[in-house]
Amino acid sequence: MALLALLDEGPTHGFDLKRRYDALLGHERELKYGQVYSTLQRLERDGLAAGVGIEAGGGADRKLYAITAQGVTELDQWLTTPDPVSGRPAEVFTRVVLALVSGRDADQVLEAHRRAFLDRMRVLTARRHAGDVVDRLAGDYEVAHLDADLRWIELASVRLKDIAEKVRATGSKGTDA
């Protein structure tokens, strides 16, 4: 969908798509050229993008791609459809419960996650002044999620005794005692 959105700006070739993606969204995970071109082939196969010409470059000629009407429809739908709320517990929740089930110290699990989340927040906060507005927005998004996770860790720490009792009350066969 990212490549479709970038194609919506106008026809371009894979090299420019990669460069633009990396500048806007490639924070710590730049696209590989092979990924760009295989995605463009899939988009073309699925009727969401089309080859519209060749651009002579300093090296090899480059195939230009453009978004199709079907691609615009697909992009519009994707942009305006929220991700479904999974209802699945976060990984840290699962680790806390499994630590309790296995007789390990769930406080250590919570503390390890707390330290890791705080370390990541420090890194992101330090970067705030170095990046452009897009970098800052991406960092703010991640910080907000880390903050919510840290608040949950504090709540879980307070409730850990009750959680441990519930886990003990649930027999090893998965039935309530």
Side-chain angles (χ1 to χ4, degrees):
M1 288 301 148
L3 294 184
L4 275 181
L6 295 173
L7 284 172
D8 201 39
E9 294 179 314
T12 192
H13 49 78
F15 178 80
D16 279 345
L17 287 170
K18 180 203 176 331
R19 182 187 53 75
R20 190 93 165 99
Y21 177 93
D22 288 349
L24 293 171
L25 302 171
H27 312 282
E28 299 177 14
R29 56 182 176 95
E30 293 182 354
L31 285 179
K32 304 276 188 236
Y33 283 105
Q35 185 178 3
V36 171
Y37 291 107
S38 65
T39 300
L40 285 169
Q41 288 173 348
R42 280 193 310 279
L43 292 172
E44 194 169 23
R45 178 198 67 207
D46 296 343
L48 305 176
V52 294
I54 301 291
E55 180 181 271
D61 291 345
R62 298 175 178 161
K63 183 175 181 178
L64 292 172
Y65 293 87
I67 193 169
T68 63
Q70 182 182 346
V72 170
T73 301
E74 188 83 12
L75 177 62
D76 286 342
Q77 183 178 4
W78 178 78
L79 287 171
T80 58
T81 303
D83 285 335
V85 178
S86 72
R88 294 180 311 186
E91 181 73 17
V92 66
F93 169 83
T94 301
R95 290 179 188 214
V96 167
V97 170
L98 294 177
L100 292 169
V101 165
S102 64
R104 289 174 173 79
D105 188 353
D107 276 320
Q108 286 183 346
V109 173
L110 291 171
E111 184 56 30
H113 281 82
R114 179 185 294 113
R115 282 192 311 269
F117 294 166
L118 286 170
D119 288 346
R120 180 67 181 155
M121 284 180 88
R122 284 185 200 98
V123 167
L124 292 168
T125 301
R127 286 186 190 166
R128 288 200 77 215
H129 303 293
D132 62 17
V133 68
V134 174
D135 293 332
R136 287 192 303 273
L137 186 61
D140 289 344
Y141 180 85
E142 190 174 348
V143 166
H145 282 266
L146 289 167
D147 184 55
D149 289 338
L150 286 165
R151 283 184 279 137
W152 180 87
I153 286 172
E154 292 305 315
L155 180 63
S157 293
V158 169
R159 294 183 178 169
L160 202 51
K161 181 180 172 190
D162 294 335
I163 297 167
E165 288 174 14
K166 171 66 176 175
V167 168
R168 279 192 297 275
T170 303
S172 62
K173 304 288 187 219
T175 58
D176 287 337

